[in-house]
Amino acid sequence: QVQLVESGGGSVQPGGSLTLSCAVSDTAGSECMAWFSQVPGDGREWVTTIYTKTGDTYYRGDVKGRFTISLDNAKKTLYLQMNSLKPEDTAMYYCSVTSESTCFEGDFRDWGQGTQVTVSS
C-alpha cells in the first residue's frame, strides 16, 4: 500500500498563490496521479490528473489556466501549483495514485491526510 502525505496548504488572499506537495512512498507501476478537493458536507471532487508515463495532464474547467500539476519522479513528489486563487477554491486538498490505466475518477481509492487551502479577504 502506497503512502501519501500532502503539505503546503495555508491561508491566502484572493489572487494569491500556493504550492501543494504530495510525498509518495513508491511511484513504480503507477499510471496516474491526481488531486481532489473536498469541502465539509460534500463529496470529494476531482481537480486534475497527470499520466505518469507520458506527462499528459487534465484539469477541471474552473482551474484550467490557474493550476498546474507536475510530478518529480526522482523526488517521488507530486505538486499542485495554484495561482490566481479564488474564495471558491477553499477546500481540503488530497492527492491520490492509481495503477489502473483507465485513470477514471473511480480508480483512485487511496489518499493522503489532506492539506487545507483557505482563500479569503
Side-chain angles (χ1 to χ4, degrees), residues 1 36 44 96-98 100 105-111:
Q1 188 93 88
F36 291 75
R44 202 162 296 186
S96 190
V97 60
T98 183
E100 300 187 43
E105 289 183 45
D107 294 334
F108 295 93
R109 302 181 185 89
D110 298 308
W111 320 90

Side-chain angles (χ1 to χ4, degrees), residues 17-78:
S17 298
L18 286 171
T19 300
L20 308 185
S21 299
C22 172
V24 188
S25 61
D26 185 14
T27 59
S30 69
E31 290 291 333
C32 293
M33 297 193 71
W35 287 95
F36 291 75
S37 65
Q38 185 172 30
V39 298
D42 204 354
R44 202 162 296 186
E45 298 182 356
W46 172 80
V47 177
T48 177
T49 294
I50 184 167
Y51 281 69
T52 305
K53 294 183 177 65
T54 66
D56 292 343
T57 58
Y58 298 88
Y59 298 88
R60 195 172 69 199
D62 60 329
V63 308
K64 180 71 174 179
R66 299 189 297 119
F67 292 6
T68 303
I69 186 172
S70 62
L71 175 65
D72 187 327
N73 281 303
K75 295 182 178 180
K76 296 182 180 180
T77 302
L78 180 73

